[in-house]
Amino acid sequence: MTDKIEIIGGGLAGSEAAWQLAEAGVPVRLFEMRGGGEGTPAHQTDHLAELVCSNSFRSDDAERNAVGLLHAEMRALGSLILREADRHRVPAGSALAVDRDGFSAGVTGALAAHPNVEIIRRRVDALPDSGATIVATGPLTAARLAESIGAHTGADALAFFDAIAPIIHSDSIDMSVAWFQSRWNKGDGKDYINCPLDRDQYAAFHQGLIDGEKTAFKEWERDTPYFDGCMPIEVMAERGFDTLRFGPMKPVGLDDPRTGRWPYAVVQLRQDNALGTLWNIVGFQTKLKHAEQVRLFRTIPGLEKAEFARLGGLHRNTFINAPALLDPWLRLKSHPHIRFAGQITGCEGYVESAAIGLLAGRFALAEADGREAALPPRETALGALLGHITGGADAATYQPMNINFGLFPPLDERARKADRKGLIAARARAALSAWN
């Protein structure tokens, strides 16, 4: 095979697609604008597959959690993203969290060393008129390329905001106040740092979030909706006094060693790198101004002297109306030589983005071999996610979606509710084995 398949975007989806093709012997040209004189408002390095928000790939439980099941399926299919995540894992209870720098360096090194991959550090401004292409430019698609996508699809791109959580140096956390514990002592029981708040402290913090000075919106940003999974903490606070106590500041399952009781509210931090020197504040994505973040977050017990390695930020996420525009093989219906993959399709989350990249790569491989790829069964996590974004969702109300058991075909009504997740997972494993 001599024709190279071009991939635009070196994030999680583009990197995974490139790996799937290269490992099968297909030459790939992978375009990434970072490292070629271009940048984005959120990225800090020119590494491929850089993680810009959380360092967590979420639950790794393949028996009872949909994203854990997706992990398992991707591992079975030779995923580079999951391979490097496993190699650079850091403690996070039952979740798969990674040393973000080691992870992205590992992905970059693997692709750079592969004989079938050519990495081109250059911005692409327009979709090609011919040639097999995978577009995986993610939530920060450059303006000119976004305009070209709009011209090809005949539809306006949709957008929402992703807010980035702050990261703190561990040696600046007061461990005479904070303590190590996982909720309900899952994992090794000590994978999170917990900062307790009593009712008065919580009330003051809640009011500070509402009153704090926020990043001003540009005119074109004013009516852009948030995705609930990445909602800024101050927006959650505006929804009600107790909203945070049922969300990222939930105290249940956490015993303050000083009292032996659950606090009124808790701020949790999760290890962000392998050395354990950096910890991110879980669920604290924010659009507060930087000075306001420092002032307000230092009112949290245990974080009075916190030193920040990175403060929170805000960036735009652009995605297409995939159910209306893409066929079941992720091809643009109006220009079938072009496939889309990753967050730009409207899937949400690191793992989901990489999973759609994996499928795009496998579909492109089959097409290059002159055959039509068999779609993954809808009973699998891969098939459930793919089916949702290519037609299962209502195009009129389409919004970003994480993998969840609600996307899978229902079980027989006779299946007991208590067994539902395990039965769905077992069915998925059997279906994947038959497909692969």
Side-chain angles (χ1 to χ4, degrees):
M1 185 179 301
T2 57
D3 292 340
K4 291 187 177 182
I5 292 179
E6 296 191 342
I7 300 174
I8 306 173
L12 291 156
S15 295
E16 186 63 67
W19 182 256
Q20 293 291 321
L21 287 160
E23 283 288 274
V26 179
V28 172
R29 299 177 76 205
L30 177 60
F31 290 87
E32 171 53 53
M33 69 179 184
R34 289 176 298 114
E38 298 283 343
T40 77
H43 291 87
Q44 297 188 9
T45 77
D46 60 4
H47 284 165
L48 303 176
E50 180 183 340
L51 307 181
V52 300
C53 296
S54 170
N55 70 322
S56 175
F57 285 60
R58 312 197 316 279
S59 175
D60 202 32
D61 180 359
E63 299 295 326
R64 300 286 171 180
N65 189 283
V67 74
L69 180 58
L70 189 56
H71 290 176
E73 292 182 2
M74 293 174 67
R75 288 186 180 107
L77 298 177
S79 165
L80 172 65
I81 297 302
L82 265 294
R83 187 191 81 178
E84 293 302 317
D86 289 334
R87 286 180 175 178
H88 298 280
R89 189 170 193 151
V90 298
S94 59
L96 173 57
V98 304
D99 177 319
R100 67 176 73 230
D101 291 332
F103 166 78
S104 59
V107 173
T108 303
L111 290 171
H114 204 293
N116 291 327
V117 178
E118 178 187 4
I119 300 174
I120 301 171
R121 299 286 186 170
R122 175 167 63 82
R123 190 185 71 203
V124 175
D125 288 337
L127 295 179
D129 294 327
S130 62
T133 303
I134 297 174
V135 179
T137 46
L140 299 176
T141 300
R144 290 184 181 179
L145 183 58
E147 291 174 2
S148 177
I149 292 171
H152 279 71
T153 60
D156 293 334
L158 303 177
F160 68 93
F161 289 116
D162 254 349
I164 303 171
I167 296 175
I168 292 175
H169 292 282
S170 61
D171 58 7
S172 68
I173 301 171
D174 183 356
M175 295 306 298
S176 70
V177 176
W179 77 97
F180 287 98
Q181 186 187 4
S182 300
R183 197 180 306 279
W184 304 116
N185 295 311
K186 291 185 177 180
D188 70 4
K190 299 181 178 179
D191 291 343
Y192 292 81
I193 293 175
N194 303 279
C195 300
L197 293 86
D198 61 27
R199 193 187 190 287
D200 290 342
Q201 291 166 333
Y202 174 80
F205 182 75
H206 178 269
Q207 192 61 46
L209 289 171
I210 293 174
D211 295 340
E213 191 175 3
K214 283 83 172 178
T215 303
F217 289 111
K218 297 178 181 178
E219 187 64 33
W220 54 269
E221 296 173 325
R222 294 184 187 280
D223 296 323
T224 304
Y226 293 106
F227 169 56
D228 282 349
C230 282
M231 182 167 294
I233 189 170
E234 61 274 8
V235 176
M236 284 188 274
E238 291 170 354
R239 293 190 168 186
F241 181 77
D242 287 320
T243 300
L244 294 171
R245 296 183 62 245
F246 288 91
M249 297 180 72
K250 182 170 59 178
V252 299
L254 297 167
D255 303 309
D256 187 338
R258 298 179 302 169
T259 66
R261 300 170 60 86
W262 296 352
Y264 189 79
V266 165
V267 171
Q268 286 197 304
L269 294 92
R270 179 175 54 224
Q271 188 173 330
D272 202 78
N273 66 345
L275 294 175
T277 57
L278 299 175
W279 291 68
N280 63 67
I281 311 182
V282 178
F284 268 42
Q285 53 273 359
T286 181
K287 61 186 181 72
L288 289 169
K289 287 193 172 181
H290 283 181
E292 194 74 0
Q293 291 180 47
V294 173
R295 183 197 66 78
L296 184 59
F297 295 157
R298 284 181 177 166
T299 68
I300 297 169
L303 302 185
E304 292 90 345
K305 297 181 179 180
E307 295 296 331
F308 296 86
R310 185 185 73 183
L311 289 163
L314 185 69
H315 64 269
R316 177 176 171 167
N317 186 342
T318 303
F319 62 99
I320 63 173
N321 192 339
L325 299 173
L326 302 184
D327 74 7
W329 291 269
L330 298 168
R331 293 175 298 210
L332 191 59
K333 294 175 183 177
S334 60
H335 299 81
H337 65 285
I338 297 172
R339 279 185 168 83
F340 282 83
Q343 279 187 264
I344 198 168
T345 66
C347 66
E348 176 60 28
Y350 293 149
V351 182
E352 291 86 341
S353 298
I356 297 303
L358 183 152
L359 290 175
R362 290 173 70 96
F363 293 161
L365 169 64
E367 191 171 86
D369 287 341
R371 56 188 174 85
E372 184 174 87
L375 297 173
R378 287 295 295 267
E379 292 79 10
T380 65
L382 286 163
L385 182 63
L386 177 69
H388 175 77
I389 67 175
T390 58
D394 182 355
T397 58
Y398 188 54
Q399 285 289 307
M401 178 68 73
N402 291 117
I403 184 66
N404 62 81
F405 283 125
L407 301 184
F408 290 70
L411 292 167
D412 189 290
E413 290 184 1
R414 293 171 295 179
R416 293 193 321 158
K417 185 176 182 180
D419 297 334
R420 185 174 64 88
K421 293 180 180 178
L423 291 171
I424 290 175
R427 183 183 66 179
R429 286 192 295 273
L432 183 74
S433 179
W435 174 67
N436 192 38

